[in-house]
């Protein structure tokens, strides 16, 4: 007969969170994964987005702006925009998967000083993505999302903390 000598250890998001919550390399790798997923989300979202989804995304941007005006670091505003975009796919598996990844990133990135100092730039990217989505311009929306996540990788890489 055949015997399995040892099992391969499966690395999942929970193990990543426990082992390397403040590991910059892992955080960048997670954002690279987000880039793949979130540009794909745009393809689905543009085709399935309804008026309520558009309003929700607009409200996320509004809340982000209000937080900046109050001088509050509104990291939840960033999270809510990306989550609302994922929800606009109406794909429950994708939404659940996205939530796991984004919560992991959120818990790490809020400690990155360079991100907090440059947070206003995230709002500009969100507005560009949103406006492209309203026009149903997948190419432009994907480009803005890629630029946004590349910017985030750069901010994290350059952080001195």
């Amino acid at each position: 007969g055949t015997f399995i000598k040892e099992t391969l250890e499966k690395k999942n998001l929970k193990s990543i969170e426990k082992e390397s919550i403040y590991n910059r390399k892992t955080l960048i790798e997670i954002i690279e994964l987000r880039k793949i997923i979130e540009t794909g989300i745009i393809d689905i979202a543009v085709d399935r987005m309804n008026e309520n989804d558009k309003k929700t995304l607009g409200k996320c941007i509004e809340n982000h702006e209000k937080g900046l005006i109050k001088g509050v670091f509104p990291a939840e505003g960033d999270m809510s925009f990306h989550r609302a975009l994922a929800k606009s796919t109406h794909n429950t598996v994708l939404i659940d998967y996205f939530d796991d990844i984004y919560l992991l990133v959120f818990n790490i990135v809020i400690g990155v000083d360079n991100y907090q100092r440059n947070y206003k730039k995230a709002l500009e990217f969100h507005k560009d993505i949103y406006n492209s989505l309203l026009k149903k311009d997948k190419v432009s929306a994907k480009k803005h999302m890629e630029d946004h996540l590349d910017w985030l990788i750069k901010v994290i890489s350059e952080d001195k903390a």
Side-chain angles (χ1 to χ4, degrees):
T2 304
F3 296 94
I4 298 174
K5 186 174 180 179
E6 62 183 87
T7 59
L8 295 174
E9 188 176 311
K10 181 180 172 189
K11 199 167 199 173
N12 60 31
L13 291 175
K14 292 291 182 203
S15 67
I16 291 171
E17 184 175 21
K18 288 177 185 169
E19 293 172 16
S20 54
I21 194 162
Y22 298 107
N23 180 320
R24 197 174 312 245
K25 179 182 179 292
T26 301
L27 177 57
I28 289 169
E29 289 174 349
I30 292 167
I31 295 168
E32 290 170 344
L33 174 63
R34 275 185 59 200
K35 193 161 109 174
I36 294 165
I37 293 169
E38 291 192 56
T39 53
I41 282 174
I42 287 170
D43 282 324
I44 299 169
V46 166
D47 295 332
R48 296 182 184 171
M49 188 176 287
N50 60 38
E51 289 305 312
N52 189 47
D53 297 324
K54 293 174 187 176
K55 286 179 188 173
T56 301
L57 282 166
K59 189 73 173 163
C60 291
I61 289 172
E62 221 175 274
N63 290 338
H64 190 152
E65 285 178 319
K66 286 178 185 175
L68 287 170
I69 290 167
K70 291 178 184 174
V72 175
F73 173 56
E76 312 81 46
D78 193 338
M79 181 176 174
S80 66
F81 178 83
H82 290 273
R83 186 168 197 284
L85 183 57
K87 284 184 78 171
S88 69
T89 66
H90 300 274
N91 179 318
T92 56
V93 174
L94 179 64
I95 294 164
D96 288 345
Y97 187 73
F98 179 81
D99 281 348
D100 287 344
I101 292 170
Y102 206 85
L103 285 172
L104 176 61
V105 171
F106 178 76
N107 287 332
I108 302 168
V109 83
I110 59 172
V112 176
D113 291 337
N114 202 26
Y115 177 63
Q116 292 183 28
R117 284 192 299 277
N118 293 287
Y119 191 70
K120 187 175 184 178
K121 183 72 176 161
L123 175 61
E124 294 170 23
F125 285 116
H126 289 179
K127 284 181 177 180
D128 290 339
I129 294 164
Y130 178 67
N131 289 327
S132 295
L133 290 169
L134 292 179
K135 295 175 190 168
K136 294 189 174 277
D137 184 348
K138 291 180 184 181
V139 173
S140 179
K142 287 169 109 174
K143 175 70 173 126
H144 291 304
M145 182 64 77
E146 287 175 1
D147 291 346
H148 176 32
L149 294 172
D150 285 341
W151 166 81
L152 183 55
I153 289 169
K154 182 176 185 254
V155 164
I156 292 165
S157 298
E158 293 174 352
D159 190 61
K160 308 257 187 276

